[in-house]
Amino acid sequence: MTLPVFGHTNPDTDAITSAIVYASLLSRLGVTAKAYRLGDLNNETSFVLKTAGVEVPDLLEALPEGTEVALVDHNESGQSISGLSGLKVTRVVDHHKLGDLSSKDPLYLRFEPVGCTGTILGKLYREHNLPIEGWEARLMLSAILSDTLHFRSPTTTDTDREMGVYLAQIAGVTDIKAYALEMFAAKSDLGDTPADKLLKLDYKVFPFGGKQYGLGVMETTNPGYALGRKAEILEAMKQEKAAKNLEGVFFSVVDILEETNQTFVLDDAHAEVIKGVFGADTQDNVADLGNRISRKKQIVPAFEKYFG
Amino acid sequence: MTLPVFGHTNPDTDAITSAIVYASLLSRLGVTAKAYRLGDLNNETSFVLKTAGVEVPDLLEALPEGTEVALVDHNESGQSISGLSGLKVTRVVDHHKLGDLSSKDPLYLRFEPVGCTGTILGKLYREHNLPIEGWEARLMLSAILSDTLHFRSPTTTDTDREMGVYLAQIAGVTDIKAYALEMFAAKSDLGDTPADKLLKLDYKVFPFGGKQYGLGVMETTNPGYALGRKAEILEAMKQEKAAKNLEGVFFSVVDILEETNQTFVLDDAHAEVIKGVFGADTQDNVADLGNRISRKKQIVPAFEKYFG
């Protein structure tokens, strides 16, 4: 039996590369595993896979009940393949909080409060005394640079920094900053991507105060692009809210060079929430959330605190 | 802040020694930590601590809300300190299935499907390239021998065997079998322990089919002792069932040398459950459950399968 390995829906670079790398690691440990993706690649991830010379994983849509699976970079059912509770999760490598996961049998769990799943995978290679291939190192390094915004996000730990430098040597990346900027430029090159896709670039639904909120983030070196398409994106947010019966939808445009956050706000009701959660005013459907560039560390906790 | 580290209530050797060893490991990694126990030591554990020259950890009864804690050898709130959901679990090392644990923040989780938490702790020392002290090795070895019944329980993995042999060398235990028999003899030396304490030697409450069942296990080299006190123990089971409003209470006398299981059965209603779950008949309040010596691997899964 081949073990399917996958990251969260609306995959980012960490979700995709961690699936590929963990499947590779497991295979070397004698566990036949295959990486999948639960959605389309963003431009940054496409750039990373191309640069590393690695194929895009197959799309996974459904699995028969009871199938054994390995999760990377997520653990909550709401961010995973549909019907996760009917599957048998035997392994999870993740750096998020623990959500609604449970198991019927003992399993492998490897969670660490670091900035990136790639950092934990790098540790696993070292613990197993396995040499890291150049392409594996590049994938893990790329995930770390992506998740930590080149070591600048508040989620970044010393472990991420050390692992990033270590992996860069193996990958032959001599100028980490230049490579990160290449990745970010690829991510920001969105062309005529439809507005509903822009909303979903990095989008997760969270329960706050018993109700569901969708939080989209666009990390970019070119925030002007999103601001220029504000009307379209607001319309996509409105449609998403209605289609999924959500209590609210927000979209944060994060300038990863300047480290700023301009969040799109649908209407007065949404503006009231933003005022309550962050004390921020909304003008022309945009609220300035200052340097809150991490959804995990700065945005979600503020919502949770506000809604108790 | 000192991080409290503790195993489950009704502690066994793994719960106690893993708390001591993990606190020691964390302290060496720069995290100030202190081991506690959530209940009285059994005779085996007292023997182990005495042999290793290690002090009995302090009893922990309650902690202020929001206190950061580390759990070993358990993760379910029903087996932990009361009010666990109001504490902040930052670390868990465990070899059980994942229950109702969740977190508000990223955390350290290290779960492996091995026979003993001590085995995982041994790996952690190796991964951190930390030398293991003789007393630490003896505590981890003792936990492994206790949990795996000297490598004979079906929960035993190759990893447990390898780690046990490795730790025995460091601990200076040249005859592992002789040491295991000493431990088991200490465990079986129950003297005039009151019947309600016998029931709780190794006792956990599980939800099956939406109702609560208490499952006690006495692992012993002298099953005749428990059979001789059957009437008292049945009375203690009856009182426990009423006091905790349980759907059922069972007590398994496991002969760890012969690898047999004689389970005490309260009444006809309980006998019907045992017939349904294991196909076993009850005579004189005792059902022969054959070689089912592992509650985790053989008893609980059978109940779960039966009650769906």
Side-chain angles (χ1 to χ4, degrees):
Chain A
M1 285 290 293
T2 300
L3 183 70
V5 183
F6 49 86
H8 52 79
T9 51
N10 301 307
D12 57 8
T13 296
D14 193 24
I16 295 292
T17 60
S18 289
I20 297 169
V21 171
Y22 192 43
S24 174
L25 171 64
L26 287 174
S27 298
R28 287 213 246 162
L29 294 173
V31 179
T32 314
K34 182 175 183 324
Y36 290 91
R37 61 184 167 91
L38 297 190
D40 293 337
L41 265 52
N42 69 34
N43 288 345
E44 179 191 84
T45 312
S46 295
F47 166 81
V48 166
L49 296 194
K50 193 176 286 183
T51 310
V54 173
E55 277 185 34
V56 175
D58 290 341
L59 182 68
L60 190 62
E61 286 181 335
L63 285 169
E65 201 167 319
T67 305
E68 293 193 6
V69 297
L71 311 183
V72 291
D73 197 36
H74 75 298
N75 67 84
E76 301 194 41
S77 58
Q79 298 164 8
S80 195
I81 195 168
S82 66
L84 181 71
S85 64
L87 304 179
K88 184 174 177 187
V89 177
T90 59
R91 294 169 180 270
V92 188
V93 182
D94 194 10
H95 67 123
H96 295 89
K97 64 181 181 157
L98 180 62
D100 59 355
L101 186 71
S102 68
S103 73
K104 290 198 175 120
D105 295 289
L107 73 174
Y108 288 94
L109 295 183
R110 180 65 179 258
F111 285 51
E112 295 197 19
V114 292
C116 178
T117 304
T119 301
I120 307 171
L121 292 173
K123 291 180 76 170
L124 285 174
Y125 273 87
R126 292 212 277 210
E127 289 164 11
H128 287 99
N129 290 315
L130 283 174
I132 301 176
E133 303 287 335
W135 65 269
E136 293 172 325
R138 181 176 289 268
L139 293 188
M140 289 185 268
L141 169 65
S142 302
I144 294 170
L145 295 174
S146 172
D147 265 16
T148 67
L149 301 176
H150 186 215
F151 308 131
R152 289 179 306 169
S153 164
T155 59
T156 314
T157 67
D158 287 344
T159 311
D160 299 303
R161 282 187 197 92
E162 286 160 24
M163 186 58 73
V165 170
Y166 172 77
L167 293 168
Q169 285 167 349
I170 300 171
V173 173
T174 49
D175 188 339
I176 295 179
K177 185 178 179 188
Y179 178 63
L181 286 176
E182 272 191 277
M183 282 175 49
F184 298 156
K187 172 186 273 183
S188 308
D189 178 18
L190 293 162
D192 55 358
T193 307
D196 59 327
K197 297 266 185 197
L198 295 179
L199 172 61
K200 296 293 187 67
L201 281 173
D202 179 4
Y203 179 85
K204 289 181 184 172
V205 173
F206 297 87
F208 299 133
K211 292 178 175 163
Q212 302 294 106
Y213 288 80
L215 302 186
V217 176
M218 176 193 285
E219 293 175 346
T220 180
T221 56
N222 177 19
Y225 172 83
L227 292 166
R229 298 188 60 185
K230 186 173 72 173
E232 289 170 73
I233 295 172
L234 283 166
E235 180 58 30
M237 291 162 64
K238 195 171 152 190
Q239 298 205 355
E240 173 70 12
K241 179 176 182 298
K244 299 290 167 58
N245 198 21
L246 301 170
E247 184 70 11
V249 175
F250 295 96
F251 180 73
S252 297
V253 182
V254 169
D255 184 328
I256 50 186
L257 299 180
E258 300 297 326
E259 303 187 22
T260 61
N261 177 339
Q262 294 176 85
T263 289
F264 289 6
V265 179
L266 260 183
D267 52 27
D268 288 353
H270 283 72
E272 208 172 295
V273 171
I274 287 292
K275 180 78 179 172
V277 175
F278 301 102
D281 293 317
T282 298
Q283 272 205 334
D284 296 332
N285 297 97
V286 179
D288 181 353
L289 299 192
N291 65 352
R292 296 181 180 87
I293 60 176
S294 166
R295 179 172 58 197
K296 183 161 84 171
K297 208 99 171 181
Q298 296 169 308
I299 305 294
V300 167
F303 273 96
E304 285 177 338
K305 194 173 171 193
Y306 177 73
F307 286 105
Chain B
M1 284 291 293
T2 300
L3 183 71
V5 183
F6 48 86
H8 51 80
T9 51
N10 300 307
D12 59 7
T13 297
D14 194 25
I16 295 292
T17 60
S18 289
I20 297 169
V21 171
Y22 191 43
S24 174
L25 172 64
L26 287 175
S27 299
R28 285 213 247 160
L29 294 174
V31 178
T32 314
K34 182 175 183 324
Y36 289 91
R37 62 184 165 90
L38 297 190
D40 292 338
L41 265 52
N42 69 34
N43 288 344
E44 180 191 83
T45 311
S46 295
F47 166 81
V48 165
L49 295 194
K50 194 175 284 181
T51 311
V54 173
E55 277 186 34
V56 176
D58 290 342
L59 182 68
L60 189 63
E61 286 181 335
L63 285 169
E65 200 167 319
T67 305
E68 293 193 6
V69 299
L71 311 182
V72 292
D73 197 34
H74 76 297
N75 67 84
E76 302 195 39
S77 58
Q79 298 163 8
S80 196
I81 194 167
S82 65
L84 181 71
S85 63
L87 304 179
K88 183 175 178 184
V89 177
T90 59
R91 292 168 180 271
V92 187
V93 182
D94 195 10
H95 66 122
H96 295 89
K97 65 181 181 157
L98 179 62
D100 59 355
L101 186 70
S102 67
S103 74
K104 289 196 175 123
D105 296 289
L107 74 175
Y108 288 94
L109 295 182
R110 180 64 180 258
F111 285 52
E112 294 197 18
V114 293
C116 177
T117 304
T119 301
I120 307 171
L121 292 172
K123 291 179 76 171
L124 286 174
Y125 274 87
R126 292 211 278 209
E127 289 164 12
H128 287 99
N129 289 315
L130 283 173
I132 300 176
E133 303 287 335
W135 64 270
E136 292 171 325
R138 182 176 287 269
L139 293 188
M140 289 185 268
L141 169 65
S142 302
I144 294 170
L145 294 173
S146 171
D147 265 17
T148 67
L149 302 175
H150 186 214
F151 308 132
R152 289 178 307 169
S153 164
T155 58
T156 315
T157 66
D158 287 344
T159 311
D160 299 304
R161 283 188 195 91
E162 286 160 23
M163 187 58 74
V165 169
Y166 172 77
L167 293 168
Q169 287 168 347
I170 299 170
V173 174
T174 49
D175 188 337
I176 294 178
K177 185 179 179 186
Y179 178 64
L181 287 175
E182 271 191 278
M183 281 175 49
F184 298 155
K187 172 187 273 183
S188 308
D189 179 19
L190 293 162
D192 55 359
T193 307
D196 59 326
K197 298 266 186 198
L198 295 179
L199 172 61
K200 297 293 186 69
L201 281 173
D202 179 4
Y203 179 85
K204 288 181 185 171
V205 173
F206 297 87
F208 298 133
K211 291 177 175 165
Q212 302 294 105
Y213 288 81
L215 301 186
V217 176
M218 177 193 284
E219 293 175 346
T220 180
T221 56
N222 177 20
Y225 172 84
L227 292 167
R229 297 187 61 185
K230 187 173 73 176
E232 289 171 74
I233 294 171
L234 283 167
E235 180 58 32
M237 291 161 66
K238 195 171 151 189
Q239 297 204 358
E240 173 69 12
K241 179 177 181 297
K244 299 290 166 57
N245 198 21
L246 301 171
E247 184 72 8
V249 175
F250 296 96
F251 181 71
S252 297
V253 182
V254 169
D255 184 328
I256 51 185
L257 299 180
E258 300 297 326
E259 304 188 19
T260 61
N261 177 339
Q262 295 176 86
T263 289
F264 289 7
V265 178
L266 260 182
D267 53 26
D268 288 353
H270 283 72
E272 208 171 298
V273 171
I274 286 292
K275 180 76 179 174
V277 174
F278 301 103
D281 293 317
T282 300
Q283 272 207 331
D284 297 331
N285 298 97
V286 179
D288 181 353
L289 298 192
N291 65 353
R292 295 182 180 89
I293 59 176
S294 165
R295 179 173 56 199
K296 184 161 83 172
K297 207 99 171 180
Q298 296 169 309
I299 305 295
V300 168
F303 272 96
E304 286 176 339
K305 193 173 173 195
Y306 178 71
F307 285 106

